[in-house]
Amino acid sequence: MFKGGKITQGDQNIPQVANHGLLKYPFRLNFYDEPPLFDVTIEEFETCALDRLRILAEIESSAARNRSWEETKAVTSAQCSKYLPLSPTLSKFADRDGERKRDHLSHFVLRLAFCRSEDLRRRFVKAESTLFKTRYDDDISGERENFLNSRNFNWILVDQEEHTKFSTELIAAYQGPKGETDRVSERYYKVKWTRVPDLVEKRKVFLKGGWAYVPHREQSSIVFQEFEAHLEKALEMTARLLPRLDEDTRLVPILNNLSQGSLAGISSEWANASGSTNGAEIRAEMVDNLAKKHFPLCMRTLHDSLQRDNHLKHFGRLQYGLFLKVLGLSIEEAIAFWRKSFSRMTDDKFNKEYKYNIRHSYGLEGKRANYAAKSCLQLLTPGSSSDHGCPYRTYSPENLQSTLLSSYSYLGLGSADLPEIMATVKAGHYHVACTRVFELTHASSGVSRGQGIGEGESVTHPNQYAAKSMELQKAKENAMEVE
Amino acid sequence: MLTFYQRLYPFKSIYKWLNHENAPTRLFTHREFAFTLAGDVYLRYNSFSSAEELKKQVCHLNPTRFEIGPVYSARPRDKKTIRSGAFSPQLRELVFDIDMTDYDPVRTCCSEADICKKCWGFISAAVHVLDSALRDEYGYQKLLWVYSGRRGIHLWISDREAMALTDQERKALVGWLTVIHGGKETDKKLNIRNNAGKLPPSLQAALNHLRTVFGELILSSQNCFGSQEGYGELLKAIPDSRIVETLRTKWEANPSRTSEEKWTDLHKSLASHRNLNIMEDIIIQYTYPRLDAEVSKHRNHLLKAPFCVHPKTGRVCVPLDLESINKFDPESVPTLGQLLQELDTIGMSMDKEQTREAHSDWEKTSLKPYIDIMEKHSNALMDEVRREKRKADTSW
């Protein structure tokens, strides 16, 4: 049943270094080429998979919370040492083989659980490769070197002649830390550019005739890319073979449990697409008022430019439309709202070119998917242009300051608060800036510094911001009624 | 329109270009075609087993235009009968779209949908940069440039490796080629230099070309820094506020200074600060290709087929060869009306002489040079495939 994972590589010529010779698993890192072919008890099968799942869940939630790579790495390492410790080969007293065996087994069990759908596969690959990266970074460099030598990565070492030929280009393409001097002597590897798309996208390598010249310090990119590609392929293969397992009444329930458990546990509540979150129905004509009082800056600017230009570009419409949907605008009200906003357009044009898209976003056309509103993480992804995305990120500082003032000054944000906000923006903590704005604009509802949107939590989703804001208002109104 | 499809449209060349061989392969039979009919009716997921079948259907529906999509894992017309998981895009030419509207902030002659000979300078500069980057850095060879019929240009790359790129790889490639981020309200930032302040080699090569066209295009033809607005934009790109102020006062006092003179002023004041990188950045910002990234990133993006007629301008979307792109004038492209008239005159002169083969009619119209380009490109593609096959045969 594990045939899916078996993509034979030249593993036979593993160098048998003396102290490795005794170990079944000579390296801490594992590309998981070979399936575990030993007997395991059902209990072991389940428990070690659950342990690994805990680690992967933490990785996913790190991504959802916008943690930086350093933070993610620290959290992941901590989880690893708790649930699935892996000692370096050097530490002779630890049960190295035992630990590695558990790592090996749990990986393959989760492969079975996560190979079933495109979505699960994608998430699994993402989480697993983050885990691999963490371990790769943590590994002792000598051991890492041995591991790399044990596999054939199909890279071509750039020889002296070629090196000299392209030396100016190689130096110019090199993006090492400032002031590093030994880059001339750096080793380069040549691979097809499609194997290092991340480096290509950031223009970090030199390209010639379809070959990428990867400097030694970026070598890990090739390794990670290889790991992901390898795992993706293996998962698809496993998915195709999985039906053979259907008759096994012992394993199938466990696997179902594993994949479903992770679905419920990780994604934050705002990621679901379940329409209205406030219960109260919102009508088209209320949007303008709500926008002025309760919307985060990203949605506020979209709303303002929609009112000003009577138009929004496609991605702006998509972002704002889904936000309104989750806010509680029904499909009828949404169509009414957009129709009114696109006032310079004929009915005919509106019905033909826009209505479909609105209905589509409500899952009433096309593939009828119930789309979720975009989270901050998605809005922060680069590539967003002028009228959508996160304004804290995309706007120029001057523009951001004036927009903040014009949007929120009547809610209590003054120019004295700007330097603090701009400082966090400059440091790249856009969600912190957004949370601070929330605190300032809701000071009248009793929100003070550091409270965030309740219990110190920071903004991770525009709908969360708006919902909290509306909730506060409601509480305030209720309190007044009581008085 | 119907006459155009019946007598002029080069279905055979298009077929060869998409199919790479004479006998139909999956490259053609599993290919999606989408038709736009009069009244904005849009028909997706059509597929055909041969050029004749395509022609028949096109003549039957008489679409205002049609688009070409990817090669799917199954015949697109059978889409409804197969599991959704089993139907996915497999291969697709790597395509690019450069649209004049993206140049609105820097062009002074026209705006929005208009285009003239002057604006074409931007396209021509962009084409040269892109073409050499893709050939030299990525090693692609089968590039076909097609005028989009109004204000832009499309590029189709048919190399095997390019067709097999995944969406993720396409995104990376587009990232490599994009330097200008942000739109109207955002802070325009070129993040192109490494820590040592050096340009990566790919941009250095692009800059070397752009430098040669900058004077002609930006300074004389477009006179970009002539107006107050124009030089305001230029000053925004300079980080040193003292220089900005000096220049601003100088130029405000002499509103008649030409763009060339202002450029020289800038050069002088920057040279004294030894900061000529800024000049290079400005050249790149004004002339580097601005791509419509979404078109290139996804395999399933549809793009208008060559030789369609643009519904607004009536111009035919003709392929162009690289050498003549500099001299190309979008207004000289044959239009549908003109071609039909030519057909009439031919018909008149050859009156009753003989009944001719309908499909060679284009030979006598002004469409001929463009179809020749297409033919040449398709044949080169087919030769390549044939050569590879032969090689495979002998090795066996």
Side-chain angles (χ1 to χ4, degrees), chain A residues 28-48:
Chain A
R28 195 169 157 262
L29 297 169
N30 194 339
F31 249 68
Y32 310 106
D33 296 311
E34 300 287 334
L37 295 171
F38 42 81
D39 293 332
V40 286
T41 62
I42 291 282
E43 199 192 328
E44 208 184 338
F45 182 90
E46 191 173 4
T47 49
C48 72

Side-chain angles (χ1 to χ4, degrees), chain A residues 172 174 200 203 208-210 394 399, chain B residues 136-137 172 176 178 185-186 194:
Chain A
Y174 187 84
V200 169
R203 251 180 259 123
K208 184 83 187 171
T394 58
N399 198 359
Chain B
D136 185 51
E137 286 153 13
W176 169 277
T178 311
E185 295 193 40
T186 47
N194 64 12

Side-chain angles (χ1 to χ4, degrees), chain B residues 314-316 318 331-336 338-339 342 366-367 370:
Chain B
R315 291 181 199 151
V316 180
V318 290
E331 282 159 358
S332 72
V333 167
T335 63
L336 180 62
Q338 181 194 337
L339 287 170
E342 284 174 23
S366 45
L367 204 57
Y370 301 109

Side-chain angles (χ1 to χ4, degrees), chain B residues 129-293:
Chain B
V129 169
L130 262 190
D131 195 274
S132 54
L134 290 165
R135 284 178 203 271
D136 185 51
E137 286 153 13
Y138 289 91
Y140 298 140
Q141 289 161 5
K142 304 287 180 278
L143 280 66
L144 180 72
W145 291 95
V146 182
Y147 172 55
S148 75
R150 184 150 73 177
R151 56 184 171 193
I153 196 161
H154 297 161
L155 168 62
W156 300 74
I157 306 179
S158 308
D159 291 78
R160 274 285 164 159
E161 281 178 26
M163 293 192 66
L165 294 179
T166 63
D167 287 359
Q168 194 206 2
E169 289 159 357
R170 282 166 208 251
K171 186 169 154 277
L173 194 148
V174 170
W176 169 277
L177 292 170
T178 311
V179 300
I180 298 163
H181 297 282
K184 248 184 271 165
E185 295 193 40
T186 47
D187 201 11
K188 265 181 229 112
K189 274 230 181 86
L190 294 171
N191 190 10
I192 51 180
R193 290 177 186 276
N194 64 12
N195 289 335
K198 278 208 179 105
L199 281 179
S202 59
L203 291 175
Q204 191 62 49
L207 178 69
N208 291 344
H209 174 75
L210 294 173
R211 225 196 275 273
T212 62
V213 298
F214 185 79
E216 170 64 23
L217 176 67
I218 300 295
L219 302 179
S220 16
S221 167
Q222 292 283 338
N223 193 14
C224 276
F225 315 133
S227 66
Q228 190 173 354
E229 238 177 42
Y231 72 70
E233 280 299 316
L234 173 64
L235 291 176
K236 269 192 210 162
I238 303 166
D240 189 325
S241 59
R242 271 177 310 159
I243 299 183
V244 171
E245 282 321 306
T246 349
L247 289 176
R248 194 190 296 278
T249 17
K250 182 167 182 185
W251 295 345
E252 268 168 9
N254 308 293
S256 63
R257 280 185 89 77
T258 62
S259 290
E260 278 99 346
E261 285 165 329
K262 283 174 186 151
W263 187 245
T264 326
D265 290 345
L266 177 65
H267 184 86
K268 273 188 206 142
S269 46
L270 285 174
S272 60
H273 287 75
R274 290 197 195 140
N275 205 349
L276 291 171
N277 280 356
I278 297 173
M279 305 284 280
E280 297 182 351
D281 286 359
I282 292 171
I283 294 179
I284 288 180
Q285 182 175 339
Y286 275 81
T287 52
Y288 191 86
R290 301 182 176 197
L291 300 173
D292 184 345

Side-chain angles (χ1 to χ4, degrees), chain B residues 66-136:
Chain B
F66 61 95
E67 291 170 320
I68 299 174
V71 177
Y72 282 92
S73 49
R75 285 167 191 264
R77 62 174 159 203
D78 301 335
K79 180 174 184 276
K80 292 212 172 83
T81 63
I82 33 190
R83 271 190 310 123
S84 62
F87 186 75
S88 61
Q90 307 282 306
L91 297 170
R92 157 72 154 158
E93 284 81 6
L94 176 60
V95 293
F96 291 94
D97 179 9
I98 304 175
D99 195 305
M100 217 49 236
T101 36
D102 290 322
Y103 286 87
D104 275 351
V106 292
R107 63 172 173 163
T108 54
C109 49
C110 315
S111 68
E112 304 208 339
D114 298 325
I115 187 168
C116 68
K117 186 88 183 64
K118 275 187 185 174
C119 328
W120 192 259
F122 284 110
I123 300 269
S124 156
V127 165
H128 280 281
V129 169
L130 262 190
D131 195 274
S132 54
L134 290 165
R135 284 178 203 271
D136 185 51

Side-chain angles (χ1 to χ4, degrees), chain A residues 170-291:
Chain A
L170 289 175
I171 291 173
Y174 187 84
Q175 297 203 348
K178 243 181 196 170
E180 203 175 319
T181 46
D182 63 340
R183 55 186 158 189
V184 188
S185 59
E186 177 107 55
R187 269 180 297 163
Y188 281 86
Y189 302 93
K190 209 162 83 166
V191 291
K192 280 274 164 208
W193 76 267
T194 43
R195 288 184 54 195
V196 282
D198 55 329
L199 296 181
V200 169
E201 189 165 6
K202 294 188 198 116
R203 251 180 259 123
K204 275 185 167 177
V205 283
F206 168 59
L207 279 190
K208 184 83 187 171
W211 293 93
Y213 290 71
V214 183
H216 182 69
R217 55 174 285 123
E218 304 285 1
Q219 188 191 31
S220 55
S221 273
I222 312 178
V223 179
F224 299 156
Q225 219 306 359
E226 179 84 7
F227 181 84
E228 273 179 38
H230 186 72
L231 183 54
E232 258 164 47
K233 243 190 254 157
L235 279 176
E236 269 167 39
M237 188 98 78
T238 317
R240 249 175 278 152
L241 296 172
L242 193 68
R244 293 199 203 167
L245 205 68
D246 269 358
E247 284 165 29
D248 193 317
T249 49
R250 301 164 308 163
L251 298 186
V252 172
I254 298 180
L255 295 177
N256 281 340
N257 246 341
L258 287 172
S259 55
Q260 274 162 14
S262 80
L263 269 182
I266 300 157
S267 43
S268 87
E269 57 183 307
W270 294 104
N272 69 33
S274 60
S276 169
T277 47
N278 287 56
E281 203 210 339
I282 291 170
R283 290 190 312 280
E285 59 271 24
M286 292 158 64
V287 173
D288 194 44
N289 193 16
L290 289 175

